[in-house]
Amino acid sequence: MKKLKVLALALICAVFSPAKADEGMWLLQLMQEQNLADRMKAQGLKIEVDDIYSPNRVALKDAVGIFGRGCTGEIISPDGLILTNHHCGYDAIQQHSSVEHDYLTDGFWAKNRSEELPTPGLTFKFVERIVDVTDQVNQDIKDGKVTELNSFGSEYLKKLADEALKKSDLKGKPGISTQALPFYEGNKFYLFFIKTYSDVRMVAAPPSSIGKFGGETDNWMWPRHTGDFSMFRIYADKNGDPAPYSAENVPLKVKKHLAISLKGLQEGDYAMIMGFPGSTSRYLTQSEVKLRMDGTNTPRIQVREARQDVLRKEMAASDKVRIQYASKFASSSNYWKNSIGMNKAIVDNRVLETKAEQEANFAKFAKEKNNADYASVVAKIDEYVTRVTPLAKQLTYFTETFRSGIEFGATYLIFDNLKVALEKNKKKDIEKALEQLKEGYANVHNKDYDHEVDRKVAKVLIPLYAKSVPADALPAFYETIKTKYNGDYNAYIDALYDTSIFSNQKNFDAFLANPTLEAINNDLAVQYSTSKNEMLQKLYEDYDKACGDIDLLHKTYVRGLCEMYAPTPKAPDANFTIRLTYGNVKSYDPKDGVHYKYYTTLKGVMEKEDPNNPEFVVPAKLKELYATKNYGHYALPNGEMPTCFLTTNDITGGNSGSPVMNGNGELIGAAFDGNWESLSGDINFDNNLQRCIAVDIRYVLFIVEKLGGCKNLIDEMTIVE
């Protein structure tokens, strides 16, 4: 087959020549054949690429890992000390916080190892090994073991990864797992061996007035003055292997940690970032960019804005609610504002026009090559967009409302199991289901849930959803509202939140004492959750059907673009695998008459201070340190205290917490954000505007030592003056 022949070819994107741009989230395993060294050294790299990544020896790669479920962290001491962002550690900080111990407000500083707090559920993952499995996938397609379309699927790739582990020398080793993923839209495949440590303890976190200084207002903005960092530590068993939490565990003696540079930075200095960027979509067509704007971003903005308005008021009125919903609100707000900024930047930066120009060039290229697949692929993608746009909108409205927005519901599958057990009068099955229901109730009414706050959210979002989608996208419970509650949303929601089995402990205990089929069948929460699931399944099925063979179309388009642009570098889209990006420290000019220099100082914190705005409160101790200029050896030569800086590195979500390193591979900061003007960067990289915002490592150490009083942590680091 023609497609299989193309699959067997060496990926043309791997033959690169030097490029002017800093665009590219590069695969470590391809650095040699892509000749990255020459380009990086031309911009200031002093070490060899083997010092960054080598399959045969320890390198910088071994000091970087996945922190939690969606961030990057780096090892900064021989004893497993992790540096990441404050917003990455926010869940853990919030998990340990209470009204009595409000670490969100006050910060947390472990002065010795015994004070470090175990954090259940938090993990740190290292990449142990990377293997190219493209030939194996192609052979499986050729042999009929998998279709080309299904080669993208999780079922096939999981089986491939599991079989690879069984045959590996790492089989049976503690904490080892495997993951196989497609790259370049399925033109390449790589297998990753991952080592996961599950005993990760909280060590240090500044108060939110430092770690989240500027809040929503400054998010995605420059100039920035946020001390966005936190510290944790990996613990292992006595052999250094991953192990569940135990008092007997010890700090991990790591094979690599980053040295920290206090030498400072200047405009034009080399900067590289290693981390786990989550997702980019650089190969979208013009119509697909419009789909992102209208089908994802706009619905997300509308639903999150409505929910956040409720949460703001409730959090401002209660410290208990503020702590409960701090992480939820921060998570929601982050990509609410990102979606707003992305839609604006797509227009401001003429992304649609750029994509249209690319498609016109691609059409000429296809004609020159006399390639029928290339000539027709964009039109076929446009047809796909026409089919899926209304369904994409409905799915976004649904998931934002009923999966991310409203928390209350019933574990209807367990209730279904209980119904079967009751019908058959099987005592053991009844007892088992009731025990599962107890877990389900506890999961709903957890420490970070407030029933009355969620009720208020539901009263806003349930009517909003009905206004936003066609009638055939409404779950069945909307008919109940119409017929039994005369269309009164508030009356229905009050009944749902007051009378259901899962509404409160009293109702739940009463049901446990006398579980009946009638009670389950008549329960509003069971009906509500069941109808939600039925509609979600329908929406997914309709969407999947409308998608058709879009994965194969993308595969063809990306392969064609790589050929068209060769030998210009084209990196694969981000997919939360380890990547390297290189660039320089650099200022920028966002618009006429405005210049942003490449760094900020503590002076800016004081200029932004507003005691009446919780986003801009400055801790008294920080003001005292500023007044006395008690900066130690972390100050600039002019005596000022640096806070944040800008680079041209290509990053996205998932890179939060990533190490920013100088030409010697020494740590100079931690990446935490991008700039407002380039929020279309996940779709189209802008050479002039794209900036990475990082917290200066000198500000981190200054806060740790002078405000946190943790000289013990400074002493275990390797610091280069």
Side-chain angles (χ1 to χ4, degrees):
M1 288 177 65
K2 184 176 180 184
K3 285 180 179 175
L4 294 182
K5 262 186 189 176
V6 176
L7 276 170
L9 294 175
L11 186 68
I12 199 162
C13 291
V15 186
F16 292 153
S17 67
K20 63 178 182 178
D22 298 316
E23 177 181 3
M25 300 173 186
W26 305 105
L27 295 171
L28 301 182
Q29 61 270 30
L30 290 180
M31 284 195 301
Q32 294 284 5
E33 61 188 275
Q34 291 174 341
N35 301 313
L36 281 180
D38 291 341
R39 297 203 303 276
M40 291 191 291
K41 287 188 174 183
Q43 291 192 224
L45 178 67
K46 306 297 183 188
I47 58 178
E48 301 301 320
V49 292
D50 277 355
D51 297 319
I52 297 171
Y53 168 76
S54 171
N56 303 314
R57 64 181 180 84
V58 173
L60 290 178
K61 180 270 294 182
D62 299 299
V64 182
I66 297 173
F67 179 85
R69 291 176 295 177
C71 282
T72 301
E74 53 270 14
I75 308 301
I76 57 171
S77 88
D79 289 343
L81 187 64
I82 303 166
L83 175 68
T84 189
N85 288 156
H86 184 273
H87 75 261
C88 293
Y90 204 64
D91 279 350
I93 303 166
Q94 188 263 347
Q95 175 183 333
H96 289 298
S97 294
S98 63
V99 175
E100 294 76 24
H101 299 286
D102 189 353
Y103 300 134
L104 290 172
T105 300
D106 303 328
F108 173 80
W109 308 102
K111 303 297 174 61
N112 55 64
R113 304 273 169 92
S114 66
E115 294 180 359
E116 297 175 356
L117 297 179
T119 308
L122 183 59
T123 60
F124 194 86
K125 300 180 179 182
F126 292 100
V127 176
E128 288 288 291
R129 189 178 298 171
I130 306 171
V131 180
D132 187 340
V133 291
T134 307
D135 289 345
Q136 181 180 343
V137 174
N138 290 342
Q139 191 64 47
D140 284 351
I141 295 171
K142 184 177 180 180
D143 294 344
K145 294 180 180 179
V146 65
T147 66
E148 188 177 5
L149 183 60
N150 289 340
S151 69
F152 296 85
S154 58
E155 183 179 347
Y156 166 75
L157 292 176
K158 183 180 186 307
K159 182 180 178 183
L160 185 153
D162 290 345
E163 289 176 351
L165 181 57
K166 288 177 185 176
K167 298 174 183 176
S168 168
D169 60 307
L170 295 176
K171 177 186 175 182
K173 297 291 179 68
I176 296 293
S177 61
T178 50
Q179 183 182 30
L181 291 169
F183 293 77
Y184 294 104
E185 300 295 340
N187 287 288
K188 294 282 283 184
F189 291 84
Y190 288 97
L191 176 70
F192 296 83
F193 287 80
I194 306 294
K195 179 181 278 190
T196 301
Y197 287 85
S198 57
D199 186 357
V200 180
R201 307 185 190 181
M202 188 164 81
V203 175
S208 293
S209 53
I210 292 175
K212 279 177 64 68
F213 182 78
E216 277 184 75
T217 303
D218 274 5
N219 193 20
W220 304 106
M221 297 295 183
W222 184 263
R224 202 65 172 276
H225 302 84
T226 312
D228 196 349
F229 77 92
S230 56
M231 293 181 179
F232 294 78
R233 192 184 305 277
I234 304 171
Y235 280 71
D237 66 17
K238 62 182 180 181
N239 299 316
D241 288 326
Y245 168 78
S246 167
E248 303 301 314
N249 285 350
V250 296
L252 176 66
K253 295 294 183 183
V254 296
K255 53 187 176 182
K256 181 68 177 179
H257 71 281
L258 300 182
I260 294 170
S261 171
L262 299 185
K263 290 178 283 190
L265 42 96
Q266 301 294 326
E267 180 111 22
D269 281 358
Y270 177 84
M272 64 182 173
I273 292 175
M274 194 183 297
F276 295 80
S279 177
T280 55
S281 305
R282 298 269 170 84
Y283 297 100
L284 294 182
T285 64
Q286 181 187 33
S287 64
E288 288 179 302
V289 175
K290 292 177 182 176
L291 174 60
R292 173 70 64 85
M293 296 174 75
D294 301 334
T296 302
N297 290 349
T298 297
R300 176 184 290 152
I301 292 164
Q302 291 174 354
V303 178
R304 293 195 181 195
E305 199 165 71
R307 179 175 181 248
Q308 288 164 194
D309 283 346
V310 175
L311 296 186
R312 279 191 198 95
K313 294 172 187 174
E314 299 301 314
M315 292 168 72
S318 165
D319 282 340
K320 178 175 177 290
V321 172
R322 173 181 57 79
I323 293 170
Q324 286 178 307
Y325 283 83
S327 182
K328 297 174 189 176
F329 186 91
S331 176
S332 174
S333 173
N334 192 35
Y335 274 89
W336 162 76
K337 190 168 183 179
N338 177 278
S339 296
I340 295 171
M342 182 184 291
N343 278 5
K344 183 179 187 302
I346 287 171
V347 175
D348 292 349
N349 299 341
R350 298 179 58 81
V351 172
L352 294 174
E353 290 83 354
T354 300
K355 292 292 182 180
E357 182 181 351
Q358 176 176 270
E359 288 168 30
N361 292 335
F362 187 72
K364 293 177 184 176
F365 173 77
K367 186 175 181 180
E368 291 168 2
K369 288 286 185 179
N370 194 27
N371 189 310
D373 288 341
Y374 292 171
S376 63
V377 69
V378 172
K380 290 178 179 178
I381 292 174
D382 291 345
E383 291 171 7
Y384 146 82
V385 170
T386 300
R387 292 194 306 270
V388 303
T389 294
L391 294 168
K393 287 181 182 178
Q394 292 169 28
L395 262 174
T396 305
Y397 275 118
F398 188 96
T399 55
E400 289 290 334
T401 299
F402 296 114
R403 302 191 80 178
S404 304
I406 299 167
E407 298 177 76
F408 182 63
T411 51
Y412 64 93
L413 291 176
I414 300 174
F415 276 108
D416 285 348
N417 293 336
L418 179 57
K419 283 170 66 176
V420 172
L422 289 169
E423 287 169 350
K424 295 181 178 181
N425 197 26
K426 289 190 173 183
K427 187 176 180 182
K428 285 188 177 179
D429 289 348
I430 292 172
E431 290 175 353
K432 180 181 178 181
L434 291 178
E435 286 303 312
Q436 290 175 333
L437 279 182
K438 290 177 184 177
E439 293 179 14
Y441 179 85
N443 286 336
V444 172
H445 293 271
N446 60 68
K447 76 179 186 69
D448 295 326
Y449 173 78
D450 187 290
H451 199 60
E452 296 310 307
V453 171
D454 197 56
R455 182 199 303 259
K456 291 176 181 177
V457 170
K459 286 185 176 182
V460 171
L461 295 193
I462 288 178
L464 176 61
Y465 180 79
K467 294 175 184 175
S468 304
V469 302
D472 61 2
L474 297 176
F477 74 83
Y478 278 92
E479 185 63 25
T480 302
I481 297 173
K482 180 180 177 181
T483 57
K484 294 188 178 180
Y485 292 88
N486 297 317
D488 188 335
Y489 288 106
N490 287 344
Y492 168 78
I493 292 166
D494 283 336
L496 175 67
Y497 278 70
D498 289 339
T499 67
S500 299
I501 294 168
F502 267 24
S503 290
N504 52 59
Q505 193 69 51
K506 180 181 177 182
N507 292 3
F508 187 56
D509 288 343
F511 176 78
L512 292 179
N514 183 31
T516 66
L517 287 170
E518 182 182 13
I520 298 171
N521 289 331
N522 292 333
D523 189 76
L524 282 179
V526 174
Q527 295 169 6
Y528 164 80
S529 298
T530 301
S531 68
K532 276 197 313 175
N533 181 68
E534 290 171 349
M535 179 52 65
L536 181 60
Q537 293 307 311
K538 179 182 181 300
L539 290 173
Y540 274 136
E541 288 170 8
D542 291 346
Y543 184 82
D544 287 344
K545 195 178 298 181
C547 282
D549 60 352
I550 186 59
D551 287 339
L552 294 181
L553 295 177
H554 283 150
K555 183 175 183 177
T556 299
Y557 187 46
V558 169
R559 183 170 61 243
L561 286 175
C562 285
E563 290 182 18
M564 183 178 79
Y565 283 117
T568 302
K570 298 297 289 183
D573 271 325
N575 58 358
F576 204 49
T577 54
I578 193 162
R579 305 292 181 93
L580 177 81
T581 170
Y582 66 91
N584 300 93
V585 175
K586 194 173 182 180
S587 308
Y588 75 108
D589 301 315
K591 51 191 174 183
D592 184 49
V594 178
H595 174 75
Y596 285 150
K597 68 180 182 181
Y598 66 90
Y599 71 97
T600 57
T601 69
L602 190 55
K603 179 183 178 183
V605 174
M606 303 307 159
E607 291 173 344
K608 288 181 177 179
E609 181 187 13
D610 182 355
N612 299 314
N613 184 340
E615 294 184 338
F616 294 99
V617 170
V618 179
K621 189 168 183 180
L622 186 58
K623 289 196 283 188
E624 178 185 324
L625 291 167
Y626 175 74
T628 58
K629 307 301 180 196
N630 185 9
Y631 304 146
H633 57 181
Y634 306 119
L636 297 169
N638 66 3
E640 292 188 299
M641 184 67 232
T643 52
C644 301
F645 63 93
L646 294 171
T647 73
T648 59
N649 292 90
D650 186 1
I651 69 161
T652 189
N655 274 124
S656 290
S658 292
V660 186
M661 295 169 278
N662 63 18
N664 295 314
E666 299 159 347
L667 189 66
I668 57 174
F672 70 89
D673 214 348
N675 58 320
W676 180 255
E677 296 83 6
S678 67
L679 283 183
S680 56
D682 282 357
I683 296 170
N684 190 71
F685 187 88
D686 190 300
N687 295 329
N688 295 316
L689 290 176
Q690 199 94 2
R691 293 294 182 273
C692 163
I693 303 174
V695 58
D696 196 304
I697 194 63
R698 291 168 293 181
Y699 190 51
V700 171
L701 301 190
F702 159 70
I703 295 295
V704 169
E705 180 178 343
K706 298 294 184 177
L707 189 140
C710 286
K711 185 67 164 51
N712 55 304
L713 298 179
I714 306 295
D715 290 342
E716 68 177 274
M717 301 174 193
T718 301
I719 296 177
V720 180
E721 297 279 357

